Amino acid sequence: MQLPCHRALTIGLVLAITALLPAACNMEPSNTDLGLHVGAGVYPALISLGDSAAALSIRVIVSNPSDHDVIVETGGPPFLITGDPSESRGLSGSFRIASAMEPLNAGPGVDWWGGAVDTFQAHHTHVLQKVLTLREWKARGWAVTPGVYRVRSYYNSHEGESQNFVVRP
């Protein structure tokens, strides 16, 4: 089957742009001694306590901004998982929700673990994601009150950049 010329050109352009994306991305410089950039992403940045279906999409984003592959020995298995990801071993990623009153455990946290070695290709990004509903937050025993919260991100015991979100009444 032959595509019309304009459609074939459009498909070819999309494929060419997609192939260049990893090299063309404007990646943040490394913010860990591993040579990786670690950061949190939260969407939406504002949720309402009165919305029973409210959910946060929380991401831990690990990028390799360098021109070479980065190989990280994670230290697991065996894994050492503590309440503080900076003291844990073998975790591929973690996040913790913080508030002004509670710097590490103001809400549910998540830990991901994997193999003994992680390989990050040059100019590529890995994303770990959890969708967290307010209903789940409450069911797991944390009080949710109006205010500013911060998602703290970690990779292999290294803390990255945080991102804030707001819970309104």
Side-chain angles (χ1 to χ4, degrees), residues 72-103:
V72 179
E73 293 184 25
T74 64
F79 304 103
L80 172 63
I81 300 174
T82 69
D84 183 347
S86 67
E87 297 173 1
S88 297
R89 187 180 71 237
L91 297 177
S92 294
S94 302
F95 74 78
R96 295 294 184 269
I97 296 176
S99 68
M101 301 299 290
E102 179 54 62

Side-chain angles (χ1 to χ4, degrees), residues 6-20:
H6 69 280
R7 185 173 169 116
L9 181 59
T10 302
I11 292 171
L13 185 58
V14 168
L15 290 174
I17 290 171
T18 304
L20 294 175

Side-chain angles (χ1 to χ4, degrees), residues 73-163:
E73 293 184 25
T74 64
F79 304 103
L80 172 63
I81 300 174
T82 69
D84 183 347
S86 67
E87 297 173 1
S88 297
R89 187 180 71 237
L91 297 177
S92 294
S94 302
F95 74 78
R96 295 294 184 269
I97 296 176
S99 68
M101 301 299 290
E102 179 54 62
L104 197 59
N105 290 305
V110 172
D111 296 316
W112 290 276
W113 55 89
V117 176
D118 286 338
T119 301
F120 293 87
Q121 294 179 338
H123 302 288
H124 278 77
T125 298
H126 296 256
V127 177
L128 303 167
Q129 180 172 318
K130 165 75 174 155
V131 175
L132 177 66
T133 65
L134 286 181
R135 184 174 302 144
E136 179 184 358
W137 188 332
K138 293 173 188 177
R140 292 175 65 186
W142 279 276
V144 184
T145 59
V148 177
Y149 291 85
R150 184 177 71 218
V151 173
R152 296 175 65 177
S153 63
Y154 300 84
Y155 168 75
N156 194 27
S157 304
H158 295 78
E159 187 167 6
E161 294 173 348
S162 301
Q163 185 172 349

Side-chain angles (χ1 to χ4, degrees), residues 36-84:
L36 301 172
H37 183 270
V38 179
V42 182
Y43 180 81
L46 175 67
I47 59 173
S48 174
L49 197 55
D51 181 358
S52 62
L56 294 167
S57 176
I58 300 175
R59 295 179 175 179
V60 175
I61 305 158
V62 184
S63 301
N64 177 0
S66 74
D67 293 328
H68 56 84
D69 292 354
V70 173
I71 299 171
V72 179
E73 293 184 25
T74 64
F79 304 103
L80 172 63
I81 300 174
T82 69
D84 183 347

